[in-house]
Amino acid sequence: MMHMHKRVGNSTLELIEGDITELDADAIVNAANSSLKMGGGVAGAILRKGGYEIQEECDRIGYCPVGDAIITTGGRLKAKYVIHAVGPKWGEGDEDEKLKNATLNSLKLADERGLRSIAFPAISTGIFGFPMDRCAKIMLSATISYLQGNTQLERVVFCLFGKDAFETFRKTLEELLP
Ligand code: AR6
């Protein structure tokens, strides 16, 4: 498993290659859709491991606009919470801004709940078709500027699925924080 970390403000920004459902963090982020129906990809893996109570809580909430995030239980996961962030579908318009907002709103939600650690997947880069290098730039820049402000978050992790995704994030992070 590959791993790297950088200090940003008082926090640690980490990159890990692996399965996000295995991570020990206060919250893991789901790559969700607006109707909060957990399908394949990260969502499917979270549902299988965390249990159906996560979907039931999503159903009670019902809806989340693109670029925003909501929080539910983590069910049987190691993570206590799942933050469901709705990224854009590639081609729908205003994708960069929406992905940036989905990232920032997840970080804010974690802070508002007093959480200390959060782990993200590469939102929108699977079924939603967003290019990986562009996602890395947007999610990492948004996170770096957030961590340079006022936050109680000690640890923000990006959990990348596969060596190529990890390498793309590693190179982008080296460019942003040499
Ligand atoms: N751990 C970490 N990353 C993963 C994992 C995992 N276990 N599984 C996949 N990835 P996706 P999206 C990577 O499709 O594009 C669902 O149906 C994957 O390789 O999960 O935002 C939802 O319900 C890719 O790089 O999310 C929505 O309808 C990244 O995670 C829709 O898909 C995101 O892939 C959301 O699509």
Side-chain angles (χ1 to χ4, degrees):
M1 193 157 94
M2 289 179 282
H3 194 200
M4 90 177 263
H5 55 90
K6 296 258 183 192
R7 216 53 205 159
V8 185
N10 295 314
S11 318
T12 306
L13 176 51
E14 282 179 59
L15 307 183
I16 293 176
E17 192 223 326
D19 175 357
I20 197 166
T21 64
E22 295 291 328
L23 290 191
D24 198 352
D26 292 340
I28 63 171
V29 177
N30 176 31
N33 55 50
S34 277
S35 51
L36 302 174
K37 298 293 182 201
M38 300 172 78
V42 176
I46 288 175
L47 193 55
R48 280 192 300 277
K49 203 166 287 177
Y52 201 71
E53 65 176 305
I54 303 173
Q55 181 63 69
E56 285 170 344
E57 210 178 322
C58 282
D59 290 342
R60 285 193 291 274
I61 297 166
Y63 177 79
C64 179
V66 182
D68 213 342
I70 59 100
I71 188 166
T72 67
T73 175
R76 295 190 303 265
L77 293 170
K78 282 184 209 157
K80 192 151 191 248
Y81 300 98
V82 174
I83 291 178
H84 303 260
V86 184
K89 292 193 185 93
W90 186 248
E92 73 177 28
D94 216 9
E95 298 94 338
D96 291 356
E97 191 66 16
K98 288 168 176 169
L99 183 58
K100 179 178 129 192
N101 289 337
T103 307
L104 291 175
N105 286 323
S106 300
L107 293 165
K108 282 181 199 157
L109 190 49
D111 251 329
E112 280 162 17
R113 295 300 181 101
L115 309 187
R116 295 291 185 261
S117 57
I118 179 174
F120 284 96
I123 295 173
S124 288
T125 62
I127 292 159
F128 281 0
F130 200 101
M132 187 64 74
D133 55 342
R134 199 170 177 120
C135 169
K137 249 173 235 155
I138 291 169
M139 292 193 75
L140 289 171
S141 325
T143 300
I144 290 166
S145 67
Y146 185 84
L147 293 178
Q148 285 163 342
N150 246 332
T151 178
Q152 304 266 57
L153 286 169
E154 291 164 3
R155 184 173 174 238
V156 178
V157 178
F158 284 84
C159 180
L160 294 323
F161 211 49
K163 195 165 165 269
D164 290 354
F166 178 87
E167 267 308 301
T168 301
F169 269 69
R170 189 193 60 73
K171 279 187 199 138
T172 306
L173 184 55
E174 285 297 356
E175 281 163 24
L176 294 170
L177 297 175

Coordinates of all heavy atoms in Angstrom, one line a residue, residues 18-22 30-46 48 85-89 120-130 132 159-162 165, ligand 1:
G18 N -5.9 2.5 -1.6 CA -6.6 1.4 -0.9 C -8.1 1.6 -1.0 O -8.7 2.3 -1.8
D19 N -8.8 0.8 -0.2 CA -10.3 0.7 -0.1 C -10.7 1.6 1.0 O -10.4 1.4 2.2 CB -10.7 -0.7 0.1 CG -12.2 -0.9 0.3 OD1 -12.9 0.1 0.3 OD2 -12.6 -2.1 0.5
I20 N -11.5 2.6 0.7 CA -11.9 3.6 1.7 C -12.8 3.0 2.8 O -12.7 3.5 4.0 CB -12.6 4.8 1.0 CG1 -12.7 6.0 2.0 CG2 -14.0 4.4 0.6 CD1 -13.1 7.3 1.3
T21 N -13.5 1.9 2.6 CA -14.3 1.3 3.6 C -13.5 0.7 4.7 O -14.1 0.3 5.8 CB -15.3 0.3 3.0 OG1 -14.5 -0.8 2.5 CG2 -16.2 0.9 1.9
E22 N -12.2 0.5 4.5 CA -11.3 -0.1 5.5 C -10.7 0.9 6.4 O -10.1 0.6 7.4 CB -10.2 -0.9 4.8 CG -10.6 -2.1 4.0 CD -11.1 -3.2 4.9 OE1 -10.6 -3.3 6.0 OE2 -12.1 -3.9 4.4
N30 N -18.8 9.4 1.0 CA -19.3 8.7 -0.1 C -19.5 9.6 -1.3 O -19.8 10.7 -1.2 CB -20.7 8.2 0.4 CG -21.4 7.4 -0.7 OD1 -20.8 6.8 -1.6 ND2 -22.8 7.5 -0.8
A31 N -19.2 9.0 -2.5 CA -19.4 9.7 -3.7 C -20.9 9.5 -4.1 O -21.2 8.4 -4.7 CB -18.5 9.2 -4.8
A32 N -21.7 10.4 -3.7 CA -23.2 10.2 -3.7 C -23.8 10.8 -4.9 O -23.2 11.5 -5.7 CB -23.8 10.8 -2.4
N33 N -25.1 10.6 -5.1 CA -25.9 11.3 -6.1 C -27.0 12.1 -5.4 O -27.3 11.9 -4.2 CB -26.5 10.3 -7.1 CG -27.3 9.2 -6.5 OD1 -28.2 9.5 -5.6 ND2 -27.0 8.0 -6.8
S34 N -27.7 13.0 -6.1 CA -28.7 13.9 -5.5 C -29.8 13.2 -4.8 O -30.4 13.8 -3.8 CB -29.2 14.9 -6.5 OG -28.3 15.9 -6.7
S35 N -30.2 12.1 -5.3 CA -31.4 11.4 -4.7 C -30.9 10.5 -3.5 O -31.8 9.9 -2.9 CB -32.1 10.6 -5.7 OG -31.3 9.8 -6.5
L36 N -29.6 10.5 -3.2 CA -29.1 9.8 -2.1 C -29.4 8.3 -2.2 O -29.6 7.7 -1.1 CB -29.5 10.4 -0.8 CG -29.2 11.9 -0.6 CD1 -29.8 12.4 0.7 CD2 -27.6 12.1 -0.5
K37 N -29.4 7.8 -3.4 CA -29.6 6.3 -3.6 C -28.3 5.7 -3.8 O -27.6 6.0 -4.8 CB -30.6 6.0 -4.8 CG -32.0 6.6 -4.6 CD -32.7 5.9 -3.5 CE -34.2 6.4 -3.4 NZ -34.8 6.1 -2.1
M38 N -27.8 4.9 -3.0 CA -26.5 4.3 -3.0 C -26.4 3.2 -4.1 O -27.0 2.2 -4.0 CB -26.0 3.8 -1.7 CG -26.0 4.9 -0.6 SD -25.7 4.3 1.1 CE -23.9 4.1 1.0
G39 N -25.6 3.5 -5.2 CA -25.5 2.6 -6.3 C -24.3 1.8 -6.2 O -24.0 1.1 -5.3
G40 N -23.4 1.9 -7.3 CA -22.2 1.1 -7.4 C -21.0 1.9 -6.8 O -21.2 2.8 -6.1
G41 N -19.8 1.5 -7.2 CA -18.6 2.2 -6.8 C -18.4 2.3 -5.3 O -18.7 1.3 -4.6
V42 N -17.9 3.4 -4.9 CA -17.7 3.7 -3.4 C -19.0 3.4 -2.7 O -19.0 2.8 -1.6 CB -17.2 5.1 -3.2 CG1 -17.1 5.4 -1.7 CG2 -15.9 5.4 -3.9
A43 N -20.1 3.9 -3.2 CA -21.4 3.8 -2.5 C -21.8 2.4 -2.3 O -22.2 2.0 -1.2 CB -22.5 4.5 -3.3
G44 N -21.6 1.5 -3.3 CA -21.9 0.1 -3.2 C -21.1 -0.6 -2.1 O -21.6 -1.4 -1.3
A45 N -19.8 -0.2 -2.1 CA -18.9 -0.8 -1.1 C -19.2 -0.4 0.3 O -19.2 -1.2 1.2 CB -17.4 -0.4 -1.5
I46 N -19.6 0.9 0.5 CA -20.0 1.4 1.8 C -21.3 0.7 2.3 O -21.4 0.3 3.4 CB -20.2 2.9 1.8 CG1 -18.9 3.6 1.6 CG2 -21.0 3.4 3.0 CD1 -19.0 5.2 1.5
R48 N -22.5 -2.3 1.4 CA -22.2 -3.7 1.7 C -21.5 -3.8 3.0 O -21.9 -4.7 3.8 CB -21.3 -4.3 0.6 CG -22.1 -4.7 -0.6 CD -21.2 -5.6 -1.5 NE -20.0 -5.0 -2.0 CZ -20.0 -4.1 -3.0 NH1 -21.0 -3.9 -3.7 NH2 -18.8 -3.6 -3.4
A85 N -21.3 13.2 -0.2 CA -21.0 14.4 -1.0 C -21.5 14.2 -2.4 O -21.1 13.2 -3.0 CB -19.5 14.7 -0.9
V86 N -22.2 15.1 -2.9 CA -22.7 14.9 -4.3 C -21.9 15.7 -5.3 O -21.9 16.9 -5.3 CB -24.2 15.4 -4.4 CG1 -24.7 15.1 -5.8 CG2 -25.1 14.7 -3.4
G87 N -21.1 14.9 -6.1 CA -20.3 15.5 -7.1 C -21.0 15.7 -8.4 O -22.1 15.1 -8.6
P88 N -20.5 16.4 -9.4 CA -21.1 16.6 -10.7 C -20.9 15.4 -11.6 O -19.9 14.7 -11.5 CB -20.4 17.8 -11.2 CG -19.0 17.7 -10.7 CD -19.2 17.1 -9.3
K89 N -21.9 15.2 -12.5 CA -21.6 14.3 -13.6 C -20.9 15.1 -14.7 O -21.3 16.2 -15.0 CB -23.0 13.8 -14.2 CG -23.8 12.9 -13.3 CD -24.9 12.3 -14.2 CE -25.8 11.5 -13.3 NZ -27.0 12.2 -12.8
F120 N -11.6 11.1 2.0 CA -12.3 11.3 0.8 C -11.9 10.2 -0.3 O -10.7 9.9 -0.4 CB -11.9 12.6 0.1 CG -12.5 13.8 0.7 CD1 -11.8 14.6 1.7 CD2 -13.8 14.3 0.3 CE1 -12.3 15.7 2.2 CE2 -14.3 15.5 0.8 CZ -13.6 16.2 1.8
P121 N -12.8 9.8 -1.2 CA -12.4 9.2 -2.4 C -12.3 10.3 -3.5 O -12.5 11.4 -3.2 CB -13.7 8.3 -2.7 CG -14.8 9.1 -2.3 CD -14.3 9.9 -1.0
A122 N -11.9 9.9 -4.7 CA -11.8 10.8 -5.8 C -13.2 11.0 -6.4 O -13.6 10.2 -7.3 CB -10.8 10.3 -6.9
I123 N -13.9 11.9 -5.8 CA -15.4 12.1 -6.1 C -15.6 12.3 -7.6 O -14.8 13.1 -8.2 CB -15.9 13.3 -5.3 CG1 -15.9 13.0 -3.8 CG2 -17.3 13.7 -5.7 CD1 -16.3 14.2 -2.9
S124 N -16.6 11.8 -8.2 CA -17.0 11.9 -9.5 C -16.2 11.3 -10.6 O -16.5 11.3 -11.8 CB -17.2 13.4 -9.9 OG -18.3 14.0 -9.3
T125 N -15.0 10.6 -10.2 CA -14.1 10.1 -11.2 C -14.5 8.7 -11.7 O -13.7 8.1 -12.5 CB -12.7 10.1 -10.7 OG1 -12.6 9.2 -9.6 CG2 -12.2 11.5 -10.4
G126 N -15.5 8.1 -11.1 CA -15.9 6.7 -11.6 C -17.1 6.8 -12.5 O -17.0 7.3 -13.6
I127 N -18.2 6.4 -12.0 CA -19.5 6.3 -12.8 C -19.8 7.7 -13.4 O -20.3 7.9 -14.5 CB -20.6 5.8 -12.0 CG1 -20.4 4.3 -11.6 CG2 -22.0 6.0 -12.6 CD1 -21.1 3.8 -10.5
F128 N -19.4 8.8 -12.7 CA -19.8 10.2 -13.1 C -18.8 10.7 -14.2 O -19.0 11.8 -14.7 CB -19.9 11.1 -11.9 CG -21.2 11.0 -11.2 CD1 -22.2 10.1 -11.6 CD2 -21.5 11.8 -10.1 CE1 -23.4 10.0 -10.9 CE2 -22.7 11.7 -9.4 CZ -23.7 10.8 -9.8
G129 N -17.7 10.0 -14.5 CA -16.8 10.4 -15.6 C -15.9 11.6 -15.6 O -15.4 12.0 -16.6
F130 N -15.7 12.2 -14.4 CA -14.8 13.3 -14.2 C -13.4 12.9 -14.4 O -13.0 11.9 -13.8 CB -15.1 13.9 -12.9 CG -14.7 15.4 -12.7 CD1 -15.6 16.4 -12.7 CD2 -13.3 15.7 -12.5 CE1 -15.2 17.7 -12.6 CE2 -13.0 17.0 -12.3 CZ -13.9 18.0 -12.4
M132 N -9.5 12.2 -13.8 CA -8.8 12.1 -12.5 C -7.9 13.2 -12.2 O -7.8 13.7 -11.1 CB -8.0 10.7 -12.5 CG -7.4 10.3 -11.2 SD -8.6 10.0 -9.9 CE -9.3 8.5 -10.4
C159 N -8.2 8.7 -0.2 CA -8.0 7.3 -0.4 C -8.3 7.0 -1.8 O -9.4 7.1 -2.3 CB -9.0 6.5 0.5 SG -8.8 4.7 0.4
L160 N -7.2 6.6 -2.6 CA -7.3 6.4 -4.0 C -7.3 4.9 -4.4 O -6.6 4.2 -3.8 CB -6.1 7.1 -4.7 CG -6.1 8.6 -4.6 CD1 -7.4 9.3 -4.7 CD2 -5.3 9.2 -3.4
F161 N -8.2 4.6 -5.3 CA -8.4 3.2 -5.7 C -7.5 2.9 -6.9 O -7.7 3.3 -8.0 CB -9.8 3.1 -6.1 CG -10.4 1.7 -5.9 CD1 -10.3 1.1 -4.6 CD2 -11.2 1.1 -6.9 CE1 -10.9 -0.1 -4.4 CE2 -11.7 -0.2 -6.6 CZ -11.6 -0.8 -5.4
G162 N -6.4 2.2 -6.6 CA -5.5 1.8 -7.6 C -4.3 2.7 -7.7 O -4.3 3.9 -7.3
A165 N -4.5 6.2 -9.9 CA -5.2 7.3 -9.2 C -4.3 7.8 -8.1 O -4.1 9.0 -8.0 CB -6.5 6.8 -8.6
Ligands
AR6_1 N1 -12.4 2.9 -2.1 C1 -11.9 4.0 -2.6 N2 -12.2 4.4 -3.9 C2 -13.0 3.7 -4.6 C3 -13.6 2.5 -4.1 C4 -13.3 2.1 -2.8 N3 -13.8 1.0 -2.2 N4 -14.5 2.0 -5.1 C5 -14.4 2.8 -6.1 N5 -13.5 3.8 -5.9 P1 -17.7 6.2 -8.0 P2 -18.8 8.8 -8.8 C6 -13.1 4.9 -6.8 O1 -18.2 5.6 -9.2 O2 -18.1 8.8 -10.1 C7 -22.7 5.4 -7.5 O3 -23.7 4.7 -8.2 C8 -13.4 4.8 -8.2 O4 -12.3 4.1 -8.9 O5 -17.9 5.5 -6.7 O6 -18.9 10.1 -8.0 C9 -23.4 6.5 -6.7 O7 -24.5 6.0 -6.0 C10 -13.4 6.3 -8.7 O8 -12.1 6.7 -8.9 O9 -18.4 7.7 -7.8 C11 -23.6 7.6 -7.6 O10 -24.8 7.5 -8.3 C12 -13.9 7.0 -7.4 O11 -13.8 6.1 -6.3 C13 -22.5 7.5 -8.6 O12 -22.0 6.2 -8.5 C14 -15.4 7.5 -7.5 O13 -16.1 6.5 -8.2 C15 -21.3 8.5 -8.2 O14 -20.3 8.4 -9.2

